[in-house]
Amino acid sequence: MKRPVLGSMLLASTDPKRLRTWYVTALEPAENADVAAYGVLRFGDFHLFIDTRADVGDKNPEPGRMIVNFDVPDARAVVARMNDLGVTWLAELEDRDGSLFATAIDPDGNYVQIIELSEAHRAGM
């Protein structure tokens, strides 16, 4: 039996153009495409769909329910680029036993975690 694969996520926004621009500028996806009515950003094998919905507000009222995690090769460089964009940080870059973590807040209030795992942490997974 073939097992399910988590391949994408939809981020709904009242301003999908602004949100898409933020993700493209801050995180530089491998692909940035329009598919039907969706903006589709590809990060590795994962696709982030950005669209609008009538049942969402301007800001996420409970952003801790779902955190978008990005594995990055150089967390310091990503954080510097995000700082240049004026990103608000929930948690600034910190070293956790050799791995680097930071949590940004996107324009809709969602939490976006930047993760650079150490070789030791990768080996232990």
Side-chain angles (χ1 to χ4, degrees), residues 11-25 32 34 37-39 41 49-53 107-108:
L11 272 182
S13 176
T14 58
D15 190 346
K17 182 177 179 181
R18 178 196 65 197
L19 192 62
R20 180 179 179 179
T21 298
W22 187 88
Y23 276 90
V24 168
T25 306
N32 174 11
D34 292 305
Y38 299 102
L41 309 179
F49 288 74
I50 299 177
D51 194 21
T52 191
R53 289 179 52 98
D108 283 7

Side-chain angles (χ1 to χ4, degrees), residues 1-121:
M1 176 173 111
K2 186 175 177 183
R3 297 191 183 271
V5 174
L6 183 62
S8 67
M9 175 182 154
L10 171 68
L11 272 182
S13 176
T14 58
D15 190 346
K17 182 177 179 181
R18 178 196 65 197
L19 192 62
R20 180 179 179 179
T21 298
W22 187 88
Y23 276 90
V24 168
T25 306
L27 292 159
E28 301 179 325
E31 272 183 58
N32 174 11
D34 292 305
V35 178
Y38 299 102
V40 181
L41 309 179
R42 182 175 62 81
F43 297 94
D45 291 333
F46 191 82
H47 293 84
L48 184 61
F49 288 74
I50 299 177
D51 194 21
T52 191
R53 289 179 52 98
D55 60 347
V56 298
D58 291 338
K59 293 287 181 187
N60 184 345
E62 293 184 314
R65 283 187 177 268
M66 187 263 332
I67 299 174
V68 184
N69 293 327
F70 285 90
D71 292 324
V72 299
D74 186 348
R76 287 180 178 87
V78 172
V79 166
R81 183 171 55 250
M82 292 173 109
N83 281 334
D84 289 345
L85 296 172
V87 165
T88 300
W89 295 99
L90 176 70
E92 301 235 355
L93 187 67
E94 64 179 305
D95 187 317
R96 297 182 192 166
D97 299 322
S99 293
L100 301 176
F101 292 81
T103 306
I105 303 172
D106 79 13
D108 283 7
N110 302 303
Y111 294 165
V112 179
Q113 191 163 238
I114 306 306
I115 304 168
E116 180 185 340
L117 288 179
S118 68
E119 290 302 319
H121 280 138

